[in-house]
Each structure stands twice: as C-alpha cells, then as structure tokens.
Amino acid sequence: MGPWKKERDGLTVSDFAQPLLVAARGGTPSHTPVWFMRQAGRSLPEYRALRQGTAMLDACMDPEMVCEITMQPIRRHGVDGAILFSDIVVPLKAAGVDLDIVAGTGPVVANPVRTLDDVNALPQLHAEQVQPVADAIGLLLKELPAEVALIGFAGAPFTLASYLVEGGPSKNHERTKALMHGNPELWHALLAKIADITAAFLHAQLDAGVQAVQLFDSWAGALSERDYREFVLPHSKRVLETISTVPRIHFGVGTGELLPAMREAGADVVGVDWRLPLDVAVERLERAHPELPKPVVQGNLDPALFFAGFAAVEREVRRIHAEGKAAAGHIFNLGHGVLPDTDPEIITRTVELIHSL
C-alpha cells in the first residue's frame, strides 16, 4: 500500500484492500471507489439533528461531533472514503483570525487584509491550536471500517486569500485580482503566509493519521492559466511539496483550463468538476506532460443530477465510469459538493450502482 500504512486495532491497512488508496496510486482496486464532497453534512437528517444549536466552527472543533458527523455517510451510504468534517477557514480561525461563518453567506472576515501591516499581523498556526481536529482523527481511526480511507483536507492559499482580501465570499473577486495585479509583492507575501498556515494544518492531520489529503482551491477557476501560474501555483506547490507520505488530491471548481498546472502543483490525483468529461481531462493532462505517468482523476457527476431521478443518474454514472477508464486510476465523486436538499436515498443507490460496475 505504500509508506502511508497505519496501525489500526493491531492490523495494518495493508491487510485490507482500501480501494480509494489503490486507485489513487494508479492501481486496480477491487471496485471503483467513491466518496462525495460534502457527503458529511446538510443533506443528512441525522447531521441536522446533531448540529442543531451548535455553530459550524464550534462543531469543527468538537472531536466527538466531528467523529460522528464524519461517520454518518459511511454508515448510511457505504462510501470508500471518509472526508474529515471541517471547514476551509478552520485553520485561520484556530490561528486567531477574527472571522465567522454566517448562515446564508459563508465565511466573513472582520478585518480584511489590504496592506503589508495586515499581512504581517496574520498569525502562525501551531499544532496545539488544532488539537481537537487531531483528537477527532484519533477517534475516527478506531471507528472507521478498515477498508475506508480517511481523507484530511485544507483550503488552498488562493481560496483562503480571496476570503481574507474580500472580507467574505465574492462573485467577481475584484479586490483579490486588484491586489494580485496591483501589488504583486504584497500578494506573494500574503500567499506565502497562508501557505504556511495551510501546510501546518495538513501536517497536524497527517501526524494524527489521515491516509490521503485533498487541497481545495474552490475559486481558482476565476483565474486565467497565466495568472494561476504566476500568482497561485508556486504557493499551492509549496504546500503540496511538504507532503510525501500519502496521496494528494487537488480540486477546484471551473478549473478545466488549469488542470495541467494544478497537477504540476503536486497532485497525485486531479479533481475534475462536471464541466469537462474525464477522458478529455485525461487527454489534456497527458498532452501537457507526456513524460509523466498516466494521470489519476477524481470526479465528476454534476450534483444537480441527484434531483433528476435515478434513471438520469444511472445514465450519467455509467458514462462517467466509462470515461474514467482513460485514466490510470479513477475515484468516483461529484463535480462539486452534495447540495443541501439532496435526497440521501439517491446517494445510497448511486454508491451501490458504482460499486456494481
């Protein structure tokens, strides 16, 4: 299985075929592995019941709650990967950045970053500040079925920077792009600081025992390839290059034009959203870097299709499964996260279908 084997109840993961890790390494798993972004969350009634009265960021720092929420889709759907329940702004909040997640809006930063003094004032993240996350991982490793891989995650420097600069979510990222182009020196100083926080958060998870990581660059699709390569790639690469012991998944929304560059950042598995067929994504990746091994991809069912009825879902799943054969390995996923009003039953049926193919 590689150097990321972990002890679990006296056995090593090598005693079991973890399909997700096999596929991530370009091997042939016993079945196509599947997990879903945002599988642990709002679509599940048991999640809503548990979270009632608890703020999102408080929930993310409660080890027992994190463990239970992460386990819920494993029990209900039988997916092959458990994505650690958290949020991309958790390391910023834990380090001391004044922010909150506002219902219906998203992360809101009290004092947006606009100057060099603001960048210099950003704190470092220390492992003890996210100890509850590590404690949750310890609980999960005792609870998870041995064949299910535990995936840690973090937000990529660009996406976190966009929240810090804009002060919250943004459709056009105008302040972010203005800073990027208007003051490149300040921009790179900001992303270097965030890269340190992101790497520290991922390594706290790795030290606790996660078996793969996903770096989310949710908003990188707002950039041209030229801007991505100049202003973003070096910092994402710096984060991913610090990780050598587990598979690294890299994902962004609307990043079809950026996939080769995102692989260059250090991705072992390239996440593809629903806009681009997987076989086309593989062809782009191979054409850009013929000297590299055949790529491994993750994706890419449109999450809105869960509302179209199971016949439509089955048709698309079979198409995506066939297209995924162009890659060295394919981890089935959505093209983004599970939508809040999704019927959990159709998710379970989709997992069963994927496992049957």
Side-chain angles (χ1 to χ4, degrees), residues 13 29 31 36 48 73-74 81 84 110 114 125 159 164 169 179 199 203 208 211 214 237 257 284 298 338 341 346 354:
V13 173
H31 58 258
F36 300 117
R48 293 193 293 269
I74 310 304
L84 182 70
R114 303 284 162 75
L125 179 69
T159 291
L164 288 175
L179 177 60
H203 279 274
Q211 295 148 317
Q214 176 156 308
K237 185 174 183 178
E257 299 302 320
R284 286 187 184 184
Q298 178 177 280
V338 174
D341 296 327
I346 201 167
I354 294 163

Side-chain angles (χ1 to χ4, degrees), residues 27-332:
T28 304
S30 56
H31 58 258
T32 299
V34 53
W35 69 279
F36 300 117
M37 289 177 274
R38 293 182 183 159
Q39 65 187 14
R42 297 169 293 177
S43 66
L44 300 182
E46 56 266 41
Y47 166 82
R48 293 193 293 269
L50 182 63
R51 266 284 317 280
Q52 190 170 15
T54 303
M56 176 66 179
L57 290 174
D58 291 338
C60 293
M61 296 297 276
D62 181 323
E64 288 76 18
M65 189 172 286
V66 169
C67 178
E68 172 58 23
I69 294 171
T70 304
M71 285 298 302
Q72 286 174 350
I74 310 304
R75 300 190 196 107
R76 182 185 274 265
H77 304 313
V79 286
D80 300 285
I83 182 71
L84 182 70
F85 175 73
S86 189
D87 189 273
I88 61 172
V89 299
V90 162
L92 297 178
K93 178 73 171 180
V97 176
D98 188 358
L99 60 81
D100 199 6
I101 297 178
V102 178
T105 300
V108 175
V109 179
N111 301 298
V113 172
R114 303 284 162 75
T115 68
L116 183 58
D117 286 342
D118 295 333
V119 172
N120 290 336
L122 287 174
Q124 292 182 314
L125 179 69
H126 303 285
E128 59 268 20
Q129 293 172 305
V130 288
Q131 186 59 43
V133 176
D135 293 342
I137 292 168
L139 295 174
L140 280 162
L141 291 175
K142 295 175 183 177
E143 291 231 8
L144 280 169
E147 67 275 12
V148 176
L150 180 57
I151 307 165
F153 86 92
F158 171 77
T159 291
L160 293 181
S162 75
Y163 285 118
L164 288 175
V165 174
E166 302 287 345
S170 172
K171 289 183 178 180
N172 300 312
H173 305 279
E174 56 266 39
R175 289 185 180 274
T176 304
K177 292 181 179 182
L179 177 60
M180 183 188 296
H181 288 276
N183 194 336
E185 185 176 352
L186 178 58
W187 172 261
H188 286 294
L190 170 60
L191 262 70
K193 203 81 176 277
I194 298 173
D196 288 341
I197 293 173
T198 298
F201 187 47
L202 287 174
H203 279 274
Q205 296 173 61
L206 288 165
D207 290 344
V210 298
Q211 295 148 317
V213 296
Q214 176 156 308
L215 188 66
F216 284 84
D217 213 347
S218 307
W219 309 133
L223 301 174
S224 68
E225 182 184 3
R226 180 184 296 107
D227 285 352
Y228 179 86
R229 288 184 175 279
E230 180 176 353
F231 296 111
V232 177
L233 191 154
H235 303 284
S236 293
K237 185 174 183 178
R238 185 163 155 237
V239 171
L240 290 171
E241 281 184 339
T242 71
I243 299 167
S244 60
T245 56
V246 303
R248 302 161 295 179
I249 309 167
H250 198 11
F251 172 77
V253 182
T255 52
E257 299 302 320
L258 307 181
L259 293 180
M262 292 179 74
R263 189 186 191 193
E264 290 169 35
D268 301 304
V269 181
V270 180
V272 184
D273 80 0
W274 69 89
R275 295 169 177 86
L276 192 69
L278 289 182
D279 52 353
V280 176
V282 170
E283 192 275 331
R284 286 187 184 184
L285 291 164
E286 289 183 315
R287 186 173 67 244
H289 292 289
E291 77 284 1
L292 294 178
K294 200 172 186 66
V296 177
V297 294
Q298 178 177 280
N300 65 344
L301 181 69
D302 186 340
L305 288 177
F306 279 145
F307 297 86
F310 189 70
V313 170
E314 180 173 5
R315 183 172 62 250
E316 289 300 293
V317 164
R318 290 183 181 277
R319 175 185 62 80
I320 292 164
H321 183 268
E323 291 168 355
K325 293 183 183 299
H330 174 210
I331 299 169
F332 203 103

